Amino acid sequence: MPESRSRFSKKTQFWLFLLAALIVHQLPFISIPFKWLESYFHEISHGLAALISGGSIVKIQLFPNGAGLCTTRGGSGFLISFMGYAGASIWGAIIFSIAAVNRRLAFIFTSLLIALFVVCLIFWVRDLLTLIIVGLLLVLFVLPYKFKKLHYLQPLLQLTGMMVLLNSLYSPLHLFDGRSIGDGAALAELTFLPELFWVALWLAIAMLSLYTLSKKQK
């Protein structure tokens, strides 16, 4: 019986976090930092794909409206273009999953994310606006360290992961703007598969990530 109650509790927590993320997503000002976060993980995924495939990151830019740009040199054009939206979904799922395990692991992972923000600021940020946005995101991850015994670190990190994942579900829909620019258009040019195919695939990855997370809550 205790195991059953625990399983139910984690399932309930998952759906509460999803509901909270859906509500926050609709709030005009509170949702902005989470949109920046999704954009950050989108762009850093482009960059990491470039590094993994033998290229390099020239610069990362973030904009107040939640858009972003990662300029790379070399590497696999296909992998770099594909991993933006896919990477954001994966980051969201990983953040939520690790935060849900225990407070110690959440603390270690948050420290790694902070280190990634610092590396990004030092090596890949070239303009003042991006410096301010990434700096604010860094502060958001540092703040939970101020709370005694880090009681709020796990739920805050879980909400963050859910928000990143939810925003990664909405973001590909912005490609339906009739302008034929962006990751979908780049992949369509590289593969001769229509942009709609790639948008559908990114949506499927985000939905699959949500479904997998819900099944893992035991």
Side-chain angles (χ1 to χ4, degrees), residues 31-104:
S31 64
I32 291 174
F34 293 105
K35 291 178 181 178
W36 290 344
L37 266 176
E38 191 274 335
S39 181
Y40 171 80
F41 286 116
H42 178 113
E43 303 308 334
I44 202 68
S45 296
H46 280 313
L48 292 175
L51 295 175
I52 290 170
S53 60
S56 60
I57 303 172
V58 177
K59 63 180 177 180
I60 289 178
Q61 295 171 274
L62 299 179
F63 304 104
N65 65 354
L69 178 66
C70 179
T71 305
T72 61
R73 184 183 295 116
S76 166
F78 172 82
L79 187 63
I80 293 168
S81 297
F82 178 74
M83 281 307 297
Y85 291 108
S89 296
I90 294 168
W91 274 107
I94 289 175
I95 291 170
F96 186 92
S97 296
I98 290 179
V101 176
N102 57 56
R103 194 179 303 161
R104 178 177 174 78

Side-chain angles (χ1 to χ4, degrees), residues 19-192:
L19 177 62
L22 287 167
I23 293 172
V24 172
H25 182 80
Q26 304 302 320
L27 300 177
F29 297 105
I30 297 176
S31 64
I32 291 174
F34 293 105
K35 291 178 181 178
W36 290 344
L37 266 176
E38 191 274 335
S39 181
Y40 171 80
F41 286 116
H42 178 113
E43 303 308 334
I44 202 68
S45 296
H46 280 313
L48 292 175
L51 295 175
I52 290 170
S53 60
S56 60
I57 303 172
V58 177
K59 63 180 177 180
I60 289 178
Q61 295 171 274
L62 299 179
F63 304 104
N65 65 354
L69 178 66
C70 179
T71 305
T72 61
R73 184 183 295 116
S76 166
F78 172 82
L79 187 63
I80 293 168
S81 297
F82 178 74
M83 281 307 297
Y85 291 108
S89 296
I90 294 168
W91 274 107
I94 289 175
I95 291 170
F96 186 92
S97 296
I98 290 179
V101 176
N102 57 56
R103 194 179 303 161
R104 178 177 174 78
L105 197 57
F107 174 82
I108 293 171
F109 188 67
T110 301
S111 301
L112 293 174
L113 288 177
I114 289 171
L116 183 60
F117 279 116
V118 172
V119 168
C120 184
L121 282 169
I122 294 172
F123 294 105
W124 303 317
V125 171
R126 299 285 183 269
D127 64 282
L128 180 60
L129 185 57
T130 305
L131 178 67
I132 292 171
I133 293 174
V134 176
L136 288 172
L137 295 179
L138 175 60
V139 169
L140 289 178
F141 278 86
V142 171
L143 276 178
Y145 284 79
K146 298 296 183 180
F147 296 111
K148 288 184 179 181
K149 297 183 181 180
L150 303 175
H151 286 308
Y152 300 102
L153 181 59
Q154 272 184 278
L156 284 175
L157 202 57
Q158 284 177 277
L159 178 61
T160 297
M162 188 63 77
M163 286 296 304
V164 170
L165 183 51
L166 187 65
N167 280 321
S168 76
L169 179 61
Y170 286 109
S171 292
L173 299 176
H174 295 301
L175 295 177
F176 294 131
D177 55 8
R179 295 188 297 166
S180 295
I181 60 174
D183 298 338
L187 287 171
E189 186 176 345
L190 284 169
T191 63
F192 303 107

